[in-house]
Amino acid sequence: MTTVIPAPVRRIDSSGTFTLTRESTVGGDPAAAGYVAVMLGLSISDDPTVEFALGSSSAPEGYTLRITSAGIRAEADSAAGLFYAAQTLRQLLPADQATGVTSAALPITEIEDYPRFAYRGAMLDVARHFFGVDDVKKFIDNIALLKVNHLHLHLTDDQGWRIQIDSWPELTKAGATTEVGGTGGGFYSKDQYREIVRYAASLFITIVPEIDLPGHTNAASVAYPELSDIPVSPYEGVEVGFSSLAIRSETTYTFVDDVIREMAALTPGPYLHLGGDESLATTDDDFLYFIERATAIAATHGKTLIGWHEMGRSTALPAGTVGQYWSFTTPQEGADEHTLSFVRQGGPIIMSPADVAYLDIKYDASTELGLTWADGPTSIAESYEWEPTAIVPGIGEAQLLGVEAPIWTETLATIADVEYMAFPRLASIAEIAWSPAGTRDLDEFTPRLERFVGMLDALGIQHHRLDE
Ligand code: TNX
């Protein structure tokens, strides 16, 4: 019997239990022990009942967790592995002890675990509605429960520009006061953004910043009208595909260079996302010209680029550019070819099929929040029952960097709204990203999900109910 999401690679239970109490203590690697002690509400000692130790593990980010009649021992060759062991241990506790142990009978068990994919992502759109630093930190806390290790922040769109850029200061003046519905807006100062990056890193999450180009740029052009060939005005609606940069203007490339240089300097992680999606107001020739020039400029700032799959229309991408697939589980209109183009140019793929992995899509027709465009609502079962290697022929395990669940926020004004759409479907996506291929079974997942939802309740995280 396993209660953990994502399902671990191997778990062997024996008979009997070990009882963790509030008198139990934690020790081992100081950083990991400190985290686990706070998580369990226990104190540290040199002779611990719960030991988290650096040692060996069989795969990157992997760990072992052993519960014997004498105590608990986690071992990993990385701090991330110990962190994942801690998340697993938390899920073995009764849900009502997720914020502190009173007395918990745990199964005698031996777990060996490591992720299927290196990239296990969620995306938050902070452009359509803005979410402040505390909201983003809360979201980071929540996704870390599921061993998600990348948070992609969609920082710019038609409705707002959300990150301070010193060389183009108007971006966060006129460009940041708007959002969908006319309810305000906002942006992160560089210090605030660094704080998000630092906090995420403390939970082994890499921030992936996205500056979406050349479409989705109305807010940038409101701040600097010379960036657009056509007159623009502030936009607080939910249409897509109407904006474009001035593709043949040198000012545009000065802008790209400055913005990417400053973003690269703010980004300790390896990736920088340049968007490239839904550039419906840019001609094909202009799109290809822009992508070639902009990605070449961006690559000089030392980051691995990511683009939505339309960027694969270009055959002049910097080697190794990562493609993010957002078409359906049955590819629409050339999405398969565009995605394969990244592979031909030496890059791997992140799978985010919109009909199953877009968590801003309604659960069912009665869900108040959310959109329906991606082939109708997405039930919890649909979010679980898909396989990333079965979407684009030619894109299998070896071509995949991982899986990401985007959350667009046209209809989501508060972080509680975001939580409600994310949970529990993010548990499905996280399991697809972590657990071994070929092991998914909805009937076996459902009781684990019920237990996980109990933990969400204990932690005060909003979620869609399983019986709704
Ligand atoms: C498509 S998919 C978009 C976003 C929207 C989203 C709404 C993609 C790369 N772009 O601009 O917010 O649908 O679900």
Side-chain angles (χ1 to χ4, degrees):
M1 194 248 338
T2 173
T3 51
V4 178
I5 298 178
V9 172
R10 260 184 289 285
R11 173 169 172 180
I12 301 167
D13 284 358
S14 303
S15 58
T17 57
F18 169 74
T19 302
L20 197 62
T21 71
R22 50 190 338 146
E23 280 74 47
S24 303
T25 58
V26 187
D29 172 70
Y35 175 83
V36 173
V38 170
M39 178 184 91
L40 299 174
L42 303 179
S43 46
I44 302 274
S45 84
D46 289 336
D47 182 24
T49 341
V50 181
E51 188 177 16
F52 271 62
L54 284 171
S56 65
S57 44
S58 46
E61 301 181 274
Y63 66 90
T64 55
L65 179 66
R66 290 190 179 82
I67 305 179
T68 67
S69 56
I72 300 174
R73 182 178 157 86
E75 188 171 316
D77 68 0
S78 67
L82 290 180
F83 183 78
Y84 299 139
Q87 303 315 315
T88 295
L89 176 58
R90 169 158 32 205
Q91 291 193 28
L92 294 172
L93 297 168
D96 62 359
Q97 295 185 51
T99 56
V101 170
T102 47
S103 177
L106 300 173
I108 303 296
T109 192
E110 188 172 327
I111 292 173
E112 187 195 355
D113 202 13
Y114 49 83
R116 177 179 179 186
F117 294 118
Y119 189 108
R120 307 176 299 280
M123 189 210 82
L124 182 62
D125 169 9
V126 298
R128 271 53 177 271
H129 280 98
F130 180 68
F131 299 88
V133 174
D134 289 345
D135 282 345
V136 176
K137 284 185 175 176
K138 189 164 183 234
F139 190 62
I140 288 169
D141 287 338
N142 298 344
I143 67 176
L145 298 170
L146 289 162
K147 305 184 176 88
V148 168
N149 67 347
H150 288 80
L151 175 62
H152 166 185
L153 289 177
H154 183 73
L155 289 169
T156 66
D157 214 302
D158 294 319
Q159 297 87 346
W161 183 282
R162 308 300 181 201
I163 180 71
Q164 178 187 345
I165 300 292
D166 296 327
S167 53
W168 294 72
E170 294 298 324
L171 290 169
T172 46
K173 292 181 181 144
T177 57
T178 44
E179 67 176 7
V180 169
T183 38
F187 68 93
Y188 308 117
S189 69
K190 285 195 170 175
D191 280 345
Q192 289 176 320
Y193 187 80
R194 285 189 196 98
E195 172 60 14
I196 291 172
V197 169
R198 184 204 63 76
Y199 186 76
S202 77
L203 302 184
F204 302 92
I205 291 173
T206 299
I207 298 291
V208 178
E210 180 185 355
I211 303 294
D212 198 352
L213 306 170
H216 295 278
T217 47
N218 187 76
S221 299
V222 166
Y224 290 97
E226 63 270 36
L227 290 174
S228 173
D229 286 332
I230 53 165
V232 297
S233 53
Y235 186 69
E236 299 189 316
V238 300
E239 296 302 315
V240 298
F242 60 87
S243 57
S244 181
L245 295 174
I247 302 297
R248 305 287 166 168
S249 157
E250 285 309 303
T251 307
T252 290
Y253 300 95
T254 306
F255 168 77
V256 169
D257 191 27
D258 288 341
V259 168
I260 300 307
R261 181 185 335 98
E262 293 193 33
M263 287 312 302
L266 275 176
T267 302
Y271 303 118
L272 227 151
H273 201 308
L274 282 194
D277 60 313
E278 298 173 322
S279 298
L280 309 178
T282 314
T283 65
D284 286 353
D285 275 359
D286 277 0
F287 183 78
L288 295 176
Y289 175 86
F290 176 83
I291 292 298
E292 180 168 357
R293 275 198 73 180
T295 58
I297 291 169
T300 66
H301 297 297
K303 296 293 173 186
T304 299
L305 305 180
I306 308 180
W308 296 107
H309 67 249
E310 294 101 307
M311 199 184 274
R313 287 159 61 192
S314 172
T315 53
L317 299 175
T321 298
V322 179
Q324 185 168 9
Y325 178 90
W326 67 272
S327 186
F328 295 173
T329 42
T330 300
Q332 317 272 295
E333 301 153 21
D336 43 359
E337 267 310 303
H338 298 153
T339 306
L340 284 164
S341 160
F342 287 90
V343 173
R344 285 189 207 105
Q345 296 178 73
I349 302 302
I350 297 167
M351 276 290 166
S352 300
D355 55 339
V356 288
Y358 268 32
L359 303 186
D360 59 305
I361 300 297
K362 291 178 188 290
Y363 287 88
D364 58 44
S366 73
T367 313
E368 276 178 42
L369 302 167
L371 305 175
T372 52
W373 69 268
D375 200 25
T378 297
S379 65
I380 295 168
E382 286 170 306
S383 71
Y384 187 70
E385 295 193 295
W386 62 280
E387 165 51 39
T389 57
I391 295 175
V392 177
I395 299 196
E397 201 81 17
Q399 287 74 34
L400 287 175
L401 182 61
V403 172
E404 178 181 294
I407 304 175
W408 305 95
T409 59
E410 287 94 332
T411 66
L412 311 178
T414 67
I415 203 69
D417 292 347
V418 170
E419 287 176 9
Y420 179 81
M421 299 306 277
F423 294 100
R425 290 181 295 189
L426 187 62
S428 305
I429 309 300
E431 180 147 308
I432 292 168
W434 178 287
S435 303
T439 56
R440 281 193 300 288
D441 171 356
L442 185 64
D443 291 336
E444 183 274 332
F445 180 61
T446 303
R448 284 188 288 126
L449 196 59
E450 282 168 12
R451 197 240 152 258
F452 181 76
V453 163
M455 185 176 82
L456 296 177
D457 285 331
L459 294 172
I461 300 168
Q462 298 299 312
H463 61 83
H464 182 78
R465 286 173 43 152
L466 296 181
D467 58 2
E468 260 175 310

